[in-house]
Amino acid sequence: MFKKLCIVILLLFLLNGVNSIRLIDPISTELTTDDYIGSASPGSTLELIFSKELGKFDSLKINSELPSGFDTKVRDYLETIKVFITIPKDAINDTYSLNLTLSGKSTEDADIYFIVKNGLLDASLNNYSNQTFVSSPASYTFTLINNSHADDEFYLSALLPWYWLEEKGLAGNALGDHVIKINVPRKSTKEVTLTIYPQTHGEKIFDVVVNLTPKEEKKFSLKVDAKQTFIGKTQNIFYGIPFYSFSLVPSFDLIGLFSLLFN
């Protein structure tokens, strides 16, 4: 009796699999009716990967239309079919539905939906204060968080003069104007390090802005305390000799010599 029951359950499972569409990414599931396939932020691209089920399907057609500004593209690969949904930067936070058909040796329809919303991306600061010497590096680490089902780009900018910034201070691509672009894959986090080189001594507070989406940003206030080096102190004395009393020249010469030797 138990063996017959197992056979019946197996047959039902196989029959169910014959009449279904399998979504591989971003959520692995057998599509039935009105299935949720992920969430994404405005301005991102949601990538859907469908299985061809070993030759059962060879094409995919999108039957419904998304609102103006959305763009959908279908790409055919050897064993899969991909659908790219580009979400406009000004997209309204809402639920969006699509009806699609996979065709080939058999034809299957699927109704799917995805959610567009803000708040899926975030950033945090690991250390807000640093102590260093003038012209020496001071590093700050940020954690970028992507909780959406789409790869996303973060933009980080330090509100400092260009000569305070290292040319390759971040693990990303420089866009000019001291803005760095960092790509963070879906459902993951990435740490990036900002390195600055303070050019004046003393404490300085400066801001770093992380743009999450076109309408979301986070601002962090950072502090650096730059100490003056021995060379920095003494070379000022050396270059100031013409303005001192002639009787003090020997002592200033000695201090200036030290600064040159240690430079």
Side-chain angles (χ1 to χ4, degrees):
M1 181 67 182
F2 178 76
K3 188 179 292 185
K4 290 181 180 179
L5 181 61
C6 290
I7 293 172
V8 171
I9 292 173
L10 179 61
L11 287 173
L12 289 173
F13 176 81
L14 292 174
L15 287 172
N16 184 61
V18 168
N19 298 304
S20 64
I21 296 172
R22 187 158 66 94
L23 179 67
I24 300 174
D25 267 334
I27 297 174
S28 180
T29 183
E30 297 286 340
L31 299 179
T32 53
T33 304
D34 198 26
D35 288 284
Y36 169 70
I37 50 87
S39 58
S41 302
S44 63
T45 298
L46 193 60
E47 179 182 339
L48 312 180
I49 305 178
F50 296 90
S51 171
K52 288 186 175 180
E53 296 296 283
L54 300 176
K56 178 182 175 181
F57 304 117
D58 57 26
S59 65
L60 184 149
K61 179 184 177 183
I62 298 176
N63 304 315
S64 55
E65 290 188 2
L66 291 169
S68 176
F70 284 78
D71 183 58
T72 57
K73 288 184 173 60
V74 178
R75 295 285 183 267
D76 183 65
Y77 295 88
L78 184 62
E79 297 180 354
T80 61
I81 301 173
K82 294 184 180 183
V83 176
F84 298 91
I85 304 173
T86 302
I87 302 165
K89 295 180 179 180
D90 59 352
I92 298 172
N93 285 205
D94 204 348
T95 298
Y96 297 87
S97 300
L98 278 177
N99 175 266
L100 49 86
T101 300
L102 270 80
S103 304
K105 293 179 181 178
S106 63
T107 301
E108 300 286 345
D109 290 334
D111 290 304
I112 60 176
Y113 72 92
F114 60 95
I115 296 173
V116 175
K117 63 178 181 178
N118 293 312
L120 295 172
L121 310 181
D122 200 2
S124 62
L125 176 63
N126 295 7
N127 60 311
Y128 81 96
S129 179
N130 221 318
Q131 191 174 81
T132 186
F133 292 97
V134 174
S135 298
S136 295
S139 296
Y140 304 85
T141 304
F142 296 82
T143 299
L144 307 180
I145 305 164
N146 182 357
N147 286 316
S148 77
H149 289 92
D151 295 350
D152 238 303
E153 292 172 343
F154 292 69
Y155 296 87
L156 188 150
S157 56
L159 307 184
L160 283 170
W162 65 266
Y163 49 87
W164 281 55
L165 300 171
E166 184 183 16
E167 184 179 357
K168 296 180 180 179
L170 291 176
N173 299 316
L175 298 181
D177 297 328
H178 320 308
V179 178
I180 304 296
K181 179 177 72 174
I182 308 102
N183 183 271
V184 181
R186 60 183 177 86
K187 293 294 181 181
S188 67
T189 63
K190 180 179 286 189
E191 286 193 350
V192 291
T193 300
L194 168 67
T195 301
I196 68 167
Y197 291 83
Q199 300 301 308
T200 58
H201 72 277
E203 288 189 356
K204 180 176 177 61
I205 305 294
F206 62 97
D207 290 333
V208 172
V209 177
V210 180
N211 290 98
L212 308 173
T213 69
K215 295 182 180 180
E216 292 180 292
E217 69 175 31
K218 291 195 75 172
K219 182 181 288 187
F220 300 92
S221 289
L222 282 64
K223 183 176 77 172
V224 62
D225 183 8
K227 304 297 183 182
Q228 205 167 18
T229 62
F230 174 76
I231 295 173
K233 293 177 180 178
T234 54
Q235 68 183 2
N236 291 335
I237 295 173
F238 182 80
Y239 293 119
I241 286 176
F243 304 100
Y244 293 120
S245 169
F246 182 78
S247 62
L248 297 177
V249 167
S251 61
F252 288 132
D253 271 344
L254 182 60
I255 297 173
L257 180 60
F258 270 110
S259 72
L260 293 178
L261 290 176
F262 288 98
N263 198 355

